[in-house]
């Protein structure tokens, strides 16, 4: 079986073209991977800074909310004490009619 030089040249050309395309595709993939890694690092740094700012902002809000809840709890305790006094007053009004004691 004899193979002509044109056929060998064509096979080598196709093989080198396929190898070139594969290596080019690999190069593009590695460049995109490096670029995506850089973007990911920048986004991570940006999110960390944003998280730190939000934590600092919410720390002040949390203290104010805690103080407000403490005031509300104190107001509720006052209302509970007033309700106890109102219950006693209502019980006295609804109780048996008071009679005058006559001195003998």
């Amino acid at each position: 079986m004899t193979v002509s030089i044109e056929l060998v040249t064509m096979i080598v050309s196709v093989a080198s073209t396929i190898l070139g395309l594969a290596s080019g595709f690999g190069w593009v993939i590695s460049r995109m991977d490096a670029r995506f890694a850089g973007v990911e690092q920048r986004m991570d740094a940006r999110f960390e800074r944003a998280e730190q700012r939000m934590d600092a902002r919410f720390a002040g809000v949390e203290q104010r909310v805690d103080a407000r809840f403490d005031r509300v709890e104190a107001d509720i305790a006052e209302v509970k004490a007033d309700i106890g006094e109102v219950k006693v007053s209502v019980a006295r009004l609804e109780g048996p009619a008071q009679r005058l004691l006559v001195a003998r």
Side-chain angles (χ1 to χ4, degrees):
M1 178 173 171
T2 62
V3 179
S4 68
I5 191 74
E6 290 88 15
L7 184 63
V8 171
T9 305
M10 189 173 291
I11 291 173
V12 169
S13 297
V14 169
S16 64
T17 303
I18 290 174
L19 183 64
L21 286 174
S23 66
F25 182 72
W27 178 80
V28 167
I29 294 297
S30 68
R31 290 286 298 159
M32 292 305 291
D33 188 40
R35 183 170 275 186
F36 284 140
V39 168
E40 184 180 6
Q41 288 174 351
R42 286 194 304 272
M43 291 303 287
D44 285 344
R46 180 181 260 173
F47 279 121
E48 284 179 22
R49 287 192 308 269
E51 185 178 1
Q52 289 171 353
R53 284 187 304 218
M54 292 300 283
D55 287 344
R57 188 177 293 170
F58 283 132
V61 170
E62 184 179 2
Q63 290 172 353
R64 289 192 307 250
V65 169
D66 287 343
R68 178 173 264 171
F69 276 128
D70 290 341
R71 286 194 310 264
V72 169
E73 285 177 3
D75 291 344
I76 289 172
E78 286 180 29
V79 169
K80 282 183 181 179
D82 291 342
I83 287 175
E85 292 176 9
V86 169
K87 284 181 180 179
V88 169
S89 299
V90 169
R92 286 182 182 160
L93 290 173
E94 290 180 348
Q98 294 184 356
R99 291 177 267 159
L100 291 174
L101 297 176
V102 182
R104 293 188 192 192

